[in-house]
Amino acid sequence: EIVLTQSPGTLSLSPGERATLSCRASQSVSSSSLAWYQQKPGQAPRLVIYGASSRATGIPDRFSGSGSGTDFTLTISRLEPEDFAVYYCQQYGSSFTFGPGTKVEIK
Amino acid sequence: QVQLQESGPGLVKPSETLSLTCSVSGGSVISGSYHWSWIRQPPGEGLEWIGYIYHSGSANYNPSLKSRVSISVDTSKNQFSLKLRSVTAADTAVYYCARTYFYFHYMDVWGKGTTVTVSS
């Protein structure tokens, strides 16, 4: 099973700042099977990025994804108030696994 | 647009079987491009994939849960279901159903989730 590690665990930033979230896999992951989700309290996760770098429908262009192999990054160029949430990366090899999440909180 | 809705008992006794159903509206479970997944989230924790099913009935399960899980699909009712046997308190979680894109393996439509508590 591929294990995903996310860092940092918590990111404390102010609106307008840049957020850089990391997702590292225990072995190489197909970029086409790497996704990022946003989850706010009491809500279901929402797809943000799929295929490592493609934005999901309705996701603003301040969100971008990059990476390959074992290292992937989600970048939010300028944080808006609605972006403060927990972000999970997810991969699919022969089964799905999720990372433990990064909480982006208001500083 | 496609919407998913979970339903089932909110309380299950230890050692019994947890049973949930996901009803699909605005789309069809027969769509060839999608699997249909169950994911859960224990209180204050992260996401855990349980398994998925294709409209043909072909399923794939999380290896850590495989011995206790079964997922089925009812194309006539446009819904799919989860059974988790021999539950313990560790199975207490919010359970989500989600549409899973077959080719890029992402979950693009989620239900709101249903809370299941395992307690006597």
Side-chain angles (χ1 to χ4, degrees):
Chain A
E1 175 183 284
I2 296 176
V3 176
L4 299 178
T5 303
Q6 292 187 242
S7 61
T10 301
L11 199 51
S12 298
L13 295 168
S14 300
E17 290 194 294
R18 182 184 187 90
T20 303
L21 288 66
S22 174
C23 176
R24 178 162 290 178
S26 60
Q27 57 187 278
S28 186
V29 169
S30 169
S31 294
S32 65
S33 298
L34 193 288
W36 291 89
Y37 300 86
Q38 175 193 72
Q39 188 178 34
K40 297 179 181 178
Q43 296 184 17
R46 176 191 184 194
L47 179 68
V48 176
I49 296 286
Y50 66 91
S53 60
S54 297
R55 277 188 301 278
T57 303
I59 300 300
D61 62 6
R62 63 180 179 273
F63 288 87
S64 62
S66 63
S68 63
T70 61
D71 290 298
F72 297 88
T73 300
L74 174 68
T75 302
I76 310 171
S77 59
R78 294 173 309 279
L79 283 164
E80 297 288 339
E82 61 267 28
D83 300 336
F84 291 92
V86 179
Y87 291 85
Y88 295 95
C89 57
Q90 166 249 295
Q91 69 79 37
Y92 180 82
S94 58
S95 63
F96 285 96
T97 56
F98 290 90
T102 290
K103 182 179 182 180
V104 180
E105 65 176 21
I106 299 176
K107 187 174 182 180
Chain B
Q1 73 275 22
V2 177
Q3 293 184 311
L4 307 181
Q5 178 67 59
E6 306 89 350
S7 60
L11 181 64
V12 181
K13 289 182 168 55
S15 80
E16 295 191 344
T17 296
L18 179 160
S19 296
L20 296 174
T21 295
C22 182
S23 298
V24 179
S25 59
S28 172
V29 295
I30 298 177
S31 170
S33 299
Y34 297 101
H35 290 124
W36 303 91
S37 288
W38 287 98
I39 303 99
R40 69 180 183 179
Q41 186 170 36
E45 298 186 24
L47 301 166
E48 180 180 36
W49 173 70
I50 300 170
Y52 65 64
I53 194 161
Y54 196 51
H55 66 80
S56 63
S58 172
N60 186 19
Y61 302 123
N62 185 325
S64 68
L65 297 170
K66 190 173 184 176
S67 64
R68 298 194 291 130
V69 172
S70 62
I71 298 175
S72 60
V73 62
D74 187 333
T75 56
S76 66
K77 294 182 178 179
N78 212 31
Q79 59 188 209
F80 59 105
S81 299
L82 167 70
K83 290 189 185 301
L84 180 64
R85 296 177 290 277
S86 304
V87 298
T88 70
D91 295 309
T92 294
V94 177
Y95 285 76
Y96 296 100
C97 57
R99 187 178 77 169
T100 307
Y101 188 53
F102 182 88
Y103 299 103
F104 278 82
H105 304 113
Y106 57 75
M107 295 149 194
D108 63 343
V109 180
W110 294 66
K112 290 182 174 9
T114 188
T115 298
V116 179
T117 301
V118 178
S119 175
S120 57

